[in-house]
Amino acid sequence: MKNNDWKSRLGIVYSTHPEYKYDIYEEQETLPKEKQLLRISLSTKNRGGKTVTLIAGFAGKADDLEALGKFLKVKCGTGGSAKDGEIIIQGDFRQKVAEILKKEGYKVK
């Protein structure tokens, strides 16, 4: 039997044009701290009633987002994650996160 698993082909585009080239996604450069506008909010949606602090609006490389997320988690003394341009901090740390980010040079809303 032929292996015809459609999941292994996700993201592949077929073209009959002989000069077709795949578009390669390039990460955008991380903006300087002064030009970043980060939005802090509180969320309980899809989290089993648990409260998390969301930091959205980061523009830059995934490694820089991970580093900022780790820095905030250490400063707040709690867990969380950083992915898809958002940093999630477990618990209600809106004020503390805003103070930390302002001290680091970020614009906070």
Side-chain angles (χ1 to χ4, degrees):
M1 182 175 221
K2 195 174 182 181
N3 185 5
N4 195 13
D5 186 18
W6 62 273
K7 291 180 184 179
S8 66
R9 293 176 290 172
L10 285 177
I12 296 176
V13 177
Y14 177 76
S15 176
T16 57
H17 192 277
E19 296 178 16
Y20 179 79
K21 294 183 181 172
Y22 287 101
D23 291 333
I24 298 173
Y25 173 75
E26 294 180 18
E27 282 187 317
Q28 68 183 52
E29 287 297 316
T30 303
L31 292 175
K33 293 178 181 181
E34 310 81 49
K35 293 186 179 182
Q36 297 268 7
L37 178 60
L38 302 178
R39 290 180 170 79
I40 301 172
S41 61
L42 197 65
S43 176
T44 57
K45 223 178 223 185
N46 299 329
R47 302 184 198 289
K50 303 214 178 190
T51 304
V52 296
T53 304
L54 291 175
I55 300 102
F58 185 85
K61 295 183 178 182
D63 293 339
D64 296 333
L65 178 70
E66 290 284 336
L68 180 60
K70 184 174 182 177
F71 174 74
L72 290 173
K73 290 187 294 183
V74 167
K75 288 290 187 178
C76 293
T78 187
S81 66
K83 58 185 172 189
D84 301 329
E86 281 187 340
I87 299 171
I88 301 169
I89 305 292
Q90 295 173 352
D92 185 1
F93 289 99
R94 289 175 292 181
Q95 290 293 90
K96 190 171 187 176
V97 167
E99 291 171 10
I100 293 168
L101 290 173
K102 284 179 185 176
K103 193 181 286 186
E104 289 295 312
Y106 290 94
K107 291 181 185 175
V108 178
K109 188 172 187 182

